[in-house]
């Protein structure tokens, strides 16, 4: 297992696990696997950024990654 | 000109002249657009095209700076034009009571040096971006939900909104603003950053949010600039 840091934004905070700052996932978990584990439907996020950079669903997480999960925001 | 004396020397006289010769289209005149219009008129952008088909209602009063109790029921585009004329009569201002669509987007965007996206619909944002790319005009896009704001500056050759919202055809949840509402200070915060990006594009100066999304979460007090490419 590895520890990552999770930040969920806006309505996605409802999916925040108990200890988001030290969330444990299996080694080689992908972003897609992480979303499944958290129970976040794919249509609720189109922007996942890791250590300040956008990544796709096939990105494999590494120890210490800072993961941001961001929803579609369209208000004006 | 004395009215711009406090713009100097943050802006040079040459830059002030450049702004006076610039044409900006502001699409959407709600929480974001109202703030953007106010700031661009005051700083001295010479020509503004303003479009929104909505009329003010009482739910706008919590955040939209152009709305007043007396203006409920009044077209936002007319209120925006009147505000610009009251603030800076040197600005050439044109307003349109109507919504951006496939029939008018190319004409509106084609006359501008820069377009500012203050819309409240993700689908219409894509329509606007397409028109800007066809016309070769840069776009500054802002969006808000609750205490969350985002800003990106898109040049015609940049990938743009797909990096933020996913492929336009992809299944996407509705914008979270429907659940979270919109607060006054968040709207004006994002509007200020859009105005700042606009001025930098027009003056070809400073750091821009190209291929980067600024995400501000005012409740968490977090500010991220995400590299999108």
């Amino acid at each position: 297992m590895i520890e990552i840091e999770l930040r969920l934004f806006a309505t996605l905070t409802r999916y925040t696990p108990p200890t988001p700052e030290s969330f444990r996932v299996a080694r080689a978990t992908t972003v897609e696997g992480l979303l499944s584990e958290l129970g976040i439907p794919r249509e609720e996020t189109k922007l996942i950024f890791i250590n300040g950079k956008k990544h796709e669903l096939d990105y494999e997480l590494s120890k210490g990654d800072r993961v941001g999960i961001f929803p579609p925001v369209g208000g004006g | 000109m004395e009215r711009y004396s406090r713009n100097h020397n943050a802006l040079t006289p040459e830059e002030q002249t450049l702004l006076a010769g610039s044409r900006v289209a502001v699409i959407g005149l709600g929480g974001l657009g109202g703030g953007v219009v106010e700031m661009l008129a005051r700083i001295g952008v010479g020509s503004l095209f303003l479009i929104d088909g909505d009329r003010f209602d009482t739910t706008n009063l919590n955040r939209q700076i152009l709305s007043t109790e007396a203006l409920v029921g009044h077209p936002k585009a007319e209120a925006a034009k009147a505000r610009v004329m009251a603030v800076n009569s040197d600005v050439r201002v044109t307003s349109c009571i109507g919504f951006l669509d496939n029939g008018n987007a190319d004409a509106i965007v084609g006359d501008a040096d820069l377009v500012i996206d203050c819309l409240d619909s993700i689908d219409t944002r894509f329509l606007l971006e397409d028109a800007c790319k066809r016309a070769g005009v840069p776009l500054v896009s802002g969006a808000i939900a609750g205490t969350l704001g985002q800003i990106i500056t898109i040049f015609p050759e940049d990938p743009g909104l797909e990096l933020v919202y996913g492929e336009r055809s992809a299944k996407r949840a509705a914008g979270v603003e429907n659940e979270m509402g919109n607060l006054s200070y968040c709207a004006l915060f994002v509007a200020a950053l859009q105005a700042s990006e606009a001025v930098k594009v027009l003056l070809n100066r400073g750091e821009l949010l190209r291929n980067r999304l600024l995400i501000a979460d005012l409740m968490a007090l977090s500010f991220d600039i995400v590299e999108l490419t």
Side-chain angles (χ1 to χ4, degrees), chain B residues 44-127:
Chain B
V45 168
S47 178
L48 293 172
F49 178 87
L50 314 174
I51 177 170
D52 197 317
D54 271 338
R55 294 168 180 266
F56 288 119
D57 65 45
T58 51
T59 68
N60 300 148
L61 293 168
N62 81 318
R63 68 192 185 284
Q64 299 190 15
I65 197 165
L66 296 173
S67 68
T68 64
E69 292 179 4
L71 287 180
V72 168
H74 197 79
K76 295 181 181 182
E78 280 187 1
K81 181 177 182 179
R83 179 64 181 169
V84 171
M85 292 170 70
V87 165
N88 189 346
S89 58
D90 291 335
V91 177
R92 296 172 299 284
V93 56
T94 307
S95 64
C96 172
I97 305 170
F99 295 105
L100 190 86
D101 58 32
N102 277 316
N104 62 18
D106 285 333
I108 290 168
V109 164
D111 277 340
D113 300 312
L114 169 71
V115 174
I116 307 191
D117 165 15
C118 301
L119 290 159
D120 60 3
S121 144
I122 294 173
D123 288 339
T124 315
R125 291 174 189 276
F126 274 117
L127 187 157

Side-chain angles (χ1 to χ4, degrees), chain A:
Chain A
M1 301 290 277
I2 55 171
E3 280 193 1
I4 60 170
E5 182 185 327
L6 273 179
R7 265 198 306 157
L8 294 92
F9 289 82
T11 50
L12 299 179
T13 55
R14 68 167 73 104
Y15 300 106
T16 303
T19 53
E21 65 284 351
S22 56
F23 186 65
R24 291 167 68 82
V25 294
R27 197 170 292 277
T29 296
T30 61
V31 166
E32 188 164 29
L34 175 66
L35 292 180
S36 297
E37 200 164 317
L38 295 171
I40 301 176
R42 276 300 296 124
E43 62 269 22
E44 288 196 30
T45 178
K46 300 294 179 186
L47 176 58
I48 292 117
F49 55 98
I50 296 154
N51 306 324
K53 183 167 172 39
K54 175 182 167 74
H55 283 282
E56 301 302 328
L57 293 173
D58 58 357
Y59 174 89
E60 286 189 8
L61 295 165
S62 299
K63 180 184 172 192
D65 276 347
R66 289 175 293 111
V67 180
I69 304 177
F70 194 71
V73 172

Side-chain angles (χ1 to χ4, degrees), chain B residues 5 42 45 49 52 54 109 123 139 147 157 163 174-175 191 196-197 204 208 210 214 225:
Chain B
S5 63
R42 287 189 185 279
V45 168
F49 178 87
D52 197 317
D54 271 338
V109 164
D123 288 339
L139 174 69
T147 59
E157 62 270 32
L163 295 175
S196 168
E197 288 292 290
N204 190 26
L208 291 172
R210 280 187 72 180
L214 189 150
I225 295 178

